[in-house]
Amino acid sequence: MAAMTATQPSAPARSADPGAARAVLTQGAGPTAAAASPHVRLRPLPFAATVLSEEGELGRWQALNRSATLPHLVANLESSGALDNLRRVAGRHDGPFRGFNFADSDVHKSLEAIAWEAGRRPDGQDWEGFTRDVVELLAAAQDDDGYLDSHYQEPPAAPGESATRADRRWTDLRWGHELYVLGHLVQAAVARTRTTGRTDLLDVARRFADHAVRRFGPGGVDGYCGHPEVETALVELYRLTGERAYLDLAQRMVDARGSGLLGAGPFEPAYHQDHAPVRAVTEATGHAVRQLYLAAGVADLVAETGEQALLDALVRLWDSAQGTKAYVTGGLGARHKDESFGDAYELPPDRAYAETCAAIASLQWAWRMLLLTGEGRYADEMERTLHNAVAASTSVDGTHFFYSNPLQVRTGHDGSSEYSASTRLPWFACACCPPNLARLVASLHAYVATRDERGVQLHLYADGTVTLPADDGDVRLRVTSAYPWDGRVTVDVLEGDGELALRVPGWVLPGGAVLRVDGVELTVDVAAVHASGGYVRVAPGARRVELDLAMPPVAVRAHPRVDAVRGCVALRRGPVVFCLEQADLPAGVVLEDVRLAAGARLDVGPPDPAIGAPVTIEAEGVHVPAAAGMLAVVGAGEVPPAAGGAVGPDLGDPDAPLAPLRLRAVPYHRWANRDEGAMRVWVPVQGWAP
Amino acid sequence: MAAMTATQPSAPARSADPGAARAVLTQGAGPTAAAASPHVRLRPLPFAATVLSEEGELGRWQALNRSATLPHLVANLESSGALDNLRRVAGRHDGPFRGFNFADSDVHKSLEAIAWEAGRRPDGQDWEGFTRDVVELLAAAQDDDGYLDSHYQEPPAAPGESATRADRRWTDLRWGHELYVLGHLVQAAVARTRTTGRTDLLDVARRFADHAVRRFGPGGVDGYCGHPEVETALVELYRLTGERAYLDLAQRMVDARGSGLLGAGPFEPAYHQDHAPVRAVTEATGHAVRQLYLAAGVADLVAETGEQALLDALVRLWDSAQGTKAYVTGGLGARHKDESFGDAYELPPDRAYAETCAAIASLQWAWRMLLLTGEGRYADEMERTLHNAVAASTSVDGTHFFYSNPLQVRTGHDGSSEYSASTRLPWFACACCPPNLARLVASLHAYVATRDERGVQLHLYADGTVTLPADDGDVRLRVTSAYPWDGRVTVDVLEGDGELALRVPGWVLPGGAVLRVDGVELTVDVAAVHASGGYVRVAPGARRVELDLAMPPVAVRAHPRVDAVRGCVALRRGPVVFCLEQADLPAGVVLEDVRLAAGARLDVGPPDPAIGAPVTIEAEGVHVPAAAGMLAVVGAGEVPPAAGGAVGPDLGDPDAPLAPLRLRAVPYHRWANRDEGAMRVWVPVQGWAP
């Protein structure tokens, strides 16, 4: 709608690139069509190859996404004004732009979610009409030169109005989010093309992408987005189309990044990942989602180029993020301020930001690292993040969401901000998370398994089937499991003669894994498996493989430098982290005054269907009522002795008997599905001196 | 300079108020001329009554303020553009406005500091020429209707330019800070009038204040500032001038506050103290400095009106702020996000915001509560805040400052933001703190003592003299003390026959106070003194009073709900909190891996003159090197036993001997005067299970 910019480099020639032949290969692929990428160890399966049953945890989640979350998105795109913003540019709506300047991305992510769902369950495409209407709207709103971001476009000039209005496009790469919006448009178009074969949205997306190539590609201006995301999308568009210009643009943006091109502002350059060249970074820093999307995009690039320097940088980033800045839930980004990573070991449970989108981005990055390296530690992280940080964001009804995911909410917490809510909300002023969740969940089965020249690898355990068509190797597997609530995974090999690799998760304790192949029990040296990549490999020919992972409830402690949870343990069973909630305590007992009893047995408790918890954990605790007074002297002239100072004179009666109390812990990702109230993952242990 | 607004309520009539008679009384007063306020228990002394000697801690600080900080301010008002902003409005400078929209307040606070210094040391008014120039500049910049805020004023119209430019004044009470700027102008003018008798600045300030009375007083619009501060200033202007309209305006703003008048925005209403009527609040919340300045202003109002409902609200706020949200240093405002109070007991040492201005505001509020109630707990808080949170903000050279005052800085901390710096900076983009410090320190002696009908009360102990002129009661005291480094305070009553009340600080342990009156030792029941208001009272007639307060180094623990410092103690001696610094550790030992040994003796160590520390503390510690790995299982099927799980398998070698280590702690307020490095106030105790 806006006038074309005065000078335009000519459109890139469509290259006769060898990659073009690959476009066929990626038909029917999932979100990451790296099956033909030259530098991956593991190849993703076709999108339809894996089907999760609704009896399993992940399949159930996908069904909820379909029945509740997707309709909720469609309704909120309307009520939030995101669609009206586009109608406004198309001359069909009279009113101001509403929302943040990246509001279009809510539409695009929702279209992507719908497209994956259409591929997952092609039998009932309830939203095809909606999608076609939106695609038509996007095409109508698109500028003649391909640009498409309704925040920066102007409505059609009124009669008599000057047509020469200021062009606001591309005037603020730092905050503009225009390339971010392009990225999500591209991902939606890729999904729709792969799952339906329809190219209507792809035509729109390519026009915008080609516009970006002309502007920022070779011969154009140097530039990259203040919010990374377009990099991974451009690589995917290259994978779909074989058009080298998209890959080159992603490469160009990654190469230029960190040159300070985004300029100064109220935020530090690291916020925008503009503080250092990508190859030079040593620490996960800045805005967490920006950092993680960038890392995912760089991993995509490495899959195509094999550049070792970038891979090395990614491993350094990983070790920083996951080795010093990750919550036990897999949540990343400790700080509310700037939604950013904190210092190493700065992991407050109460002020954990742990944005839902950061958890999603973390999983996407981990998946790409897994494809690049084949190392199970990346799949371990996918599993942890999925079953905790990601899962916690959504209510049992599928229509309420957390933006940030704290590991502790105190009694009396002020949760009035959407960024520190203690109850899930139906929508947000900054609504990035709900549609991001939906697109992930609709495509979740794509992350379950991979293959290589030897056979198939199972990374995430979920009840379902894996079926590769004949030209893909004739494999049919039936996976039966109540994972993550039960550690037994049974794989029936209905067809196929390749090797079967099963991940032995990092949480499995020594002696905690038993493998049975066609009834023959094999010893699993857990430590050795972990040391050699994390998978047990079953030779070709087996028909039934059973992996039995012992799932005792365990108490874990954090690295001693994580000061914020000193003297506390988190309860975990399998990959699932548990928490205490005020709702499970008797009247008059405040959660902050409750501790676990040292040496107490951890019992598996009965399920709680009301909150969707098949498993609970029970243990003896104590109630230590605290008196008033912020400080107490516990040693005059000396540090308190090991056995002393348990309760200071200002803090309570040291001779008062500690009241025993039966505690119940529920899965962390199911918290806040009852009355609003206090919650904590890390629980103090009475009398424990670690 | 800007055109007068179209309609102006008529100027308020100068009332023949009884308060007018009091104007005389406040000549020569300090920052809080409440001596004649009808509802105070204690009366401030004349500003010149107390003289602190430079041998004492507080007097030395005042001397440093004079020799280093004040010249530094003057230089930075020039280089920051704050003076140019005013010259621009006066038509004397060509260039854009620079800085935040409250930049004028940097000028005003500096003028206030200079004015107090002129009263403190009238013998050498080095900055009188500077002040006169600035006052002349302010008068030149002032609009015809009295308005004066250079951010909103326009430079004089150029020849031929339209004179009808948009009036940007008062268009944004939420963010505009215009009344905040007025408040600081008034406080500067009050200080200058009281200490020099000159009314040039007062004339400017009253013109602006009268403008505000016309606009926001009875018959004007309802309004209050998004950043409270003008309330306390208006009461003080009333105290100086006797003009009731100023008091009434303050009352009107306090009464209206919390009605949501400031409107919605990206920040919660609590940020601006607009979430609830002042009389209804129950919790210290929102932006800490805003909350605390408002509380100080309300306390001033109560001193004049005696309104019990407001006093009750203040006590509730106090109990919330100091009873659940205060750091051991007296720092307030835990969160970087929104510079705000956190939830109760949310007190992370590493992410402590604890803004310098919040500590100053806390002291000012505490002082007013002390005047209202006579209760020693308020003076306790003044002392704690002064010697820790406030003192920490300034370097030993007096020209570098902290904006935020964390209680822990980790190894590898990214201190590149001025809001989370790990080294003091000479100036700030938001330069509120340095001139705020200067005005407090130049007037610090005004907070040392008060009087009532019975005699004199000593609240802060500092080497110096207290001399009341004959018509004020003929009192001359000589206070000799090395406080806070030594607990002995000797008061020689050179003249006067009133009662002498000496505070027994809250930190004094049972049996830790000895009182000698003219050589006769008296028993001090510390608990009883604390329970009855906090003061020992010496009957009239005594000539030498010695209070000897035992100052063993002590270990204090926090309330058990302060999860962030569980298992840790802070070292304190008298009112001074100590900390460990990386600079005191041997090479190869990282501060995060160091713990205090349980039961270790706390020794007073030698002074460290290089960092201005007359006292250090030494104790045995242990070095517990941590291995990699973020998590370790410490109990499979059970919570770890009390004696077990000390070092998990992933976290280090459990059989490795703990290396003993001699630790040295330095006064917290002297940290970061050596090489940049890690620091912590709260130190883990090895093997201690509180």
mmCIF file of all heavy atoms in Angstrom, chain B residues 466-489:
data_model
loop_
_atom_site.group_PDB
_atom_site.id
_atom_site.type_symbol
_atom_site.label_atom_id
_atom_site.label_comp_id
_atom_site.label_asym_id
_atom_site.label_seq_id
_atom_site.Cartn_x
_atom_site.Cartn_y
_atom_site.Cartn_z
ATOM 1 N N VAL B 466 26.905 20.188 70.463
ATOM 2 C CA VAL B 466 25.539 20.674 70.312
ATOM 3 C C VAL B 466 25.410 21.928 71.171
ATOM 4 O O VAL B 466 25.642 21.872 72.379
ATOM 5 C CB VAL B 466 24.502 19.624 70.767
ATOM 6 C CG1 VAL B 466 23.088 20.185 70.702
ATOM 7 C CG2 VAL B 466 24.616 18.362 69.923
ATOM 8 N N THR B 467 25.101 23.041 70.532
ATOM 9 C CA THR B 467 25.024 24.301 71.245
ATOM 10 C C THR B 467 23.712 24.995 70.910
ATOM 11 O O THR B 467 23.492 25.368 69.754
ATOM 12 C CB THR B 467 26.178 25.242 70.833
ATOM 13 O OG1 THR B 467 27.407 24.517 70.916
ATOM 14 C CG2 THR B 467 26.224 26.462 71.729
ATOM 15 N N LEU B 468 22.872 25.121 71.925
ATOM 16 C CA LEU B 468 21.628 25.857 71.706
ATOM 17 C C LEU B 468 21.805 27.258 72.270
ATOM 18 O O LEU B 468 22.269 27.418 73.398
ATOM 19 C CB LEU B 468 20.461 25.165 72.409
ATOM 20 C CG LEU B 468 20.073 23.812 71.815
ATOM 21 C CD1 LEU B 468 18.947 23.188 72.620
ATOM 22 C CD2 LEU B 468 19.667 23.977 70.367
ATOM 23 N N PRO B 469 21.463 28.283 71.499
ATOM 24 C CA PRO B 469 21.599 29.648 72.006
ATOM 25 C C PRO B 469 20.689 29.879 73.203
ATOM 26 O O PRO B 469 19.760 29.106 73.459
ATOM 27 C CB PRO B 469 21.184 30.511 70.814
ATOM 28 C CG PRO B 469 20.411 29.587 69.918
ATOM 29 C CD PRO B 469 20.934 28.226 70.152
ATOM 30 N N ALA B 470 20.991 30.924 73.909
ATOM 31 C CA ALA B 470 20.324 31.180 75.193
ATOM 32 C C ALA B 470 18.807 31.122 75.059
ATOM 33 O O ALA B 470 18.126 30.482 75.879
ATOM 34 C CB ALA B 470 20.761 32.539 75.737
ATOM 35 N N ASP B 471 18.268 31.764 74.016
ATOM 36 C CA ASP B 471 16.812 31.777 73.920
ATOM 37 C C ASP B 471 16.259 30.433 73.488
ATOM 38 O O ASP B 471 15.060 30.249 73.379
ATOM 39 C CB ASP B 471 16.346 32.891 72.966
ATOM 40 C CG ASP B 471 16.944 32.736 71.586
ATOM 41 O OD1 ASP B 471 17.762 31.809 71.391
ATOM 42 O OD2 ASP B 471 16.587 33.521 70.703
ATOM 43 N N ASP B 472 17.145 29.507 73.207
ATOM 44 C CA ASP B 472 16.698 28.159 72.899
ATOM 45 C C ASP B 472 16.924 27.208 74.063
ATOM 46 O O ASP B 472 16.751 26.000 73.925
ATOM 47 C CB ASP B 472 17.430 27.631 71.651
ATOM 48 C CG ASP B 472 16.702 28.026 70.377
ATOM 49 O OD1 ASP B 472 15.459 28.153 70.425
ATOM 50 O OD2 ASP B 472 17.373 28.218 69.360
ATOM 51 N N GLY B 473 17.382 27.698 75.151
ATOM 52 C CA GLY B 473 17.432 26.842 76.319
ATOM 53 C C GLY B 473 18.799 26.642 76.936
ATOM 54 O O GLY B 473 18.956 25.858 77.866
ATOM 55 N N ASP B 474 19.796 27.373 76.442
ATOM 56 C CA ASP B 474 21.092 27.305 77.102
ATOM 57 C C ASP B 474 21.621 25.895 77.289
ATOM 58 O O ASP B 474 21.733 25.393 78.411
ATOM 59 C CB ASP B 474 21.019 27.966 78.490
ATOM 60 C CG ASP B 474 20.932 29.477 78.368
ATOM 61 O OD1 ASP B 474 21.701 30.043 77.573
ATOM 62 O OD2 ASP B 474 20.080 30.045 79.051
ATOM 63 N N VAL B 475 21.923 25.266 76.201
ATOM 64 C CA VAL B 475 22.495 23.926 76.288
ATOM 65 C C VAL B 475 23.794 23.913 75.503
ATOM 66 O O VAL B 475 23.860 24.437 74.380
ATOM 67 C CB VAL B 475 21.519 22.865 75.706
ATOM 68 C CG1 VAL B 475 22.181 21.494 75.703
ATOM 69 C CG2 VAL B 475 20.219 22.848 76.493
ATOM 70 N N ARG B 476 24.812 23.343 76.100
ATOM 71 C CA ARG B 476 26.054 23.103 75.374
ATOM 72 C C ARG B 476 26.545 21.712 75.712
ATOM 73 O O ARG B 476 26.799 21.413 76.876
ATOM 74 C CB ARG B 476 27.128 24.144 75.722
ATOM 75 C CG ARG B 476 26.902 25.495 75.035
ATOM 76 C CD ARG B 476 28.202 26.297 74.966
ATOM 77 N NE ARG B 476 28.743 26.493 76.327
ATOM 78 C CZ ARG B 476 30.041 26.360 76.642
ATOM 79 N NH1 ARG B 476 30.923 26.024 75.703
ATOM 80 N NH2 ARG B 476 30.454 26.570 77.875
ATOM 81 N N LEU B 477 26.639 20.880 74.668
ATOM 82 C CA LEU B 477 27.105 19.511 74.860
ATOM 83 C C LEU B 477 28.348 19.277 74.012
ATOM 84 O O LEU B 477 28.456 19.790 72.901
ATOM 85 C CB LEU B 477 26.037 18.491 74.412
ATOM 86 C CG LEU B 477 24.620 18.631 74.955
ATOM 87 C CD1 LEU B 477 23.717 17.570 74.319
ATOM 88 C CD2 LEU B 477 24.624 18.496 76.480
ATOM 89 N N ARG B 478 29.264 18.496 74.581
ATOM 90 C CA ARG B 478 30.401 18.024 73.789
ATOM 91 C C ARG B 478 30.285 16.512 73.714
ATOM 92 O O ARG B 478 30.301 15.824 74.737
ATOM 93 C CB ARG B 478 31.714 18.435 74.451
ATOM 94 C CG ARG B 478 32.967 17.864 73.774
ATOM 95 C CD ARG B 478 33.291 18.639 72.477
ATOM 96 N NE ARG B 478 34.466 18.094 71.773
ATOM 97 C CZ ARG B 478 34.399 17.169 70.814
ATOM 98 N NH1 ARG B 478 33.228 16.672 70.440
ATOM 99 N NH2 ARG B 478 35.496 16.748 70.208
ATOM 100 N N VAL B 479 30.136 16.010 72.488
ATOM 101 C CA VAL B 479 30.031 14.565 72.307
ATOM 102 C C VAL B 479 31.371 14.051 71.780
ATOM 103 O O VAL B 479 31.878 14.545 70.770
ATOM 104 C CB VAL B 479 28.908 14.210 71.312
ATOM 105 C CG1 VAL B 479 28.822 12.698 71.130
ATOM 106 C CG2 VAL B 479 27.582 14.781 71.776
ATOM 107 N N THR B 480 31.940 13.105 72.494
ATOM 108 C CA THR B 480 33.209 12.530 72.081
ATOM 109 C C THR B 480 32.992 11.051 71.774
ATOM 110 O O THR B 480 32.520 10.295 72.633
ATOM 111 C CB THR B 480 34.262 12.680 73.189
ATOM 112 O OG1 THR B 480 34.321 14.057 73.580
ATOM 113 C CG2 THR B 480 35.628 12.222 72.704
ATOM 114 N N SER B 481 33.287 10.667 70.542
ATOM 115 C CA SER B 481 33.044 9.268 70.184
ATOM 116 C C SER B 481 33.707 8.929 68.852
ATOM 117 O O SER B 481 33.827 9.780 67.970
ATOM 118 C CB SER B 481 31.534 9.006 70.051
ATOM 119 O OG SER B 481 31.309 7.651 69.729
ATOM 120 N N ALA B 482 34.153 7.680 68.758
ATOM 121 C CA ALA B 482 34.650 7.170 67.476
ATOM 122 C C ALA B 482 33.583 6.303 66.811
ATOM 123 O O ALA B 482 33.881 5.473 65.951
ATOM 124 C CB ALA B 482 35.922 6.367 67.681
ATOM 125 N N TYR B 483 32.360 6.502 67.227
ATOM 126 C CA TYR B 483 31.235 5.785 66.641
ATOM 127 C C TYR B 483 31.209 5.974 65.122
ATOM 128 O O TYR B 483 31.529 7.063 64.658
ATOM 129 C CB TYR B 483 29.959 6.376 67.251
ATOM 130 C CG TYR B 483 28.745 5.501 67.191
ATOM 131 C CD1 TYR B 483 28.445 4.616 68.220
ATOM 132 C CD2 TYR B 483 27.874 5.593 66.111
ATOM 133 C CE1 TYR B 483 27.298 3.833 68.168
ATOM 134 C CE2 TYR B 483 26.736 4.811 66.049
ATOM 135 C CZ TYR B 483 26.450 3.928 67.073
ATOM 136 O OH TYR B 483 25.319 3.161 67.028
ATOM 137 N N PRO B 484 30.867 5.029 64.329
ATOM 138 C CA PRO B 484 30.336 3.695 64.643
ATOM 139 C C PRO B 484 31.418 2.633 64.811
ATOM 140 O O PRO B 484 31.107 1.458 64.847
ATOM 141 C CB PRO B 484 29.494 3.381 63.414
ATOM 142 C CG PRO B 484 30.289 3.983 62.303
ATOM 143 C CD PRO B 484 30.885 5.250 62.885
ATOM 144 N N TRP B 485 32.690 3.065 64.912
ATOM 145 C CA TRP B 485 33.783 2.082 65.018
ATOM 146 C C TRP B 485 34.059 1.707 66.448
ATOM 147 O O TRP B 485 34.708 0.698 66.725
ATOM 148 C CB TRP B 485 35.044 2.640 64.356
ATOM 149 C CG TRP B 485 34.755 3.133 62.973
ATOM 150 C CD1 TRP B 485 34.801 4.421 62.533
ATOM 151 C CD2 TRP B 485 34.328 2.341 61.861
ATOM 152 N NE1 TRP B 485 34.429 4.478 61.218
ATOM 153 C CE2 TRP B 485 34.139 3.213 60.767
ATOM 154 C CE3 TRP B 485 34.082 0.968 61.670
ATOM 155 C CZ2 TRP B 485 33.707 2.778 59.520
ATOM 156 C CZ3 TRP B 485 33.667 0.535 60.427
ATOM 157 C CH2 TRP B 485 33.489 1.433 59.374
ATOM 158 N N ASP B 486 33.582 2.524 67.375
ATOM 159 C CA ASP B 486 33.746 2.242 68.789
ATOM 160 C C ASP B 486 32.427 2.595 69.483
ATOM 161 O O ASP B 486 31.782 3.584 69.118
ATOM 162 C CB ASP B 486 34.889 3.076 69.371
ATOM 163 C CG ASP B 486 35.206 2.697 70.802
ATOM 164 O OD1 ASP B 486 34.515 3.208 71.709
ATOM 165 O OD2 ASP B 486 36.098 1.873 71.018
ATOM 166 N N GLY B 487 32.050 1.795 70.466
ATOM 167 C CA GLY B 487 30.727 1.949 71.067
ATOM 168 C C GLY B 487 30.671 2.910 72.244
ATOM 169 O O GLY B 487 29.628 3.041 72.871
ATOM 170 N N ARG B 488 31.791 3.557 72.549
ATOM 171 C CA ARG B 488 31.757 4.469 73.689
ATOM 172 C C ARG B 488 31.376 5.880 73.239
ATOM 173 O O ARG B 488 32.008 6.442 72.335
ATOM 174 C CB ARG B 488 33.102 4.509 74.410
ATOM 175 C CG ARG B 488 33.122 5.545 75.542
ATOM 176 C CD ARG B 488 34.320 5.434 76.425
ATOM 177 N NE ARG B 488 34.405 4.113 77.044
ATOM 178 C CZ ARG B 488 35.219 3.835 78.066
ATOM 179 N NH1 ARG B 488 36.000 4.777 78.583
ATOM 180 N NH2 ARG B 488 35.263 2.627 78.561
ATOM 181 N N VAL B 489 30.370 6.425 73.906
ATOM 182 C CA VAL B 489 29.915 7.777 73.614
ATOM 183 C C VAL B 489 29.979 8.577 74.908
ATOM 184 O O VAL B 489 29.335 8.215 75.908
ATOM 185 C CB VAL B 489 28.463 7.781 73.084
ATOM 186 C CG1 VAL B 489 28.001 9.203 72.805
ATOM 187 C CG2 VAL B 489 28.345 6.903 71.841
#
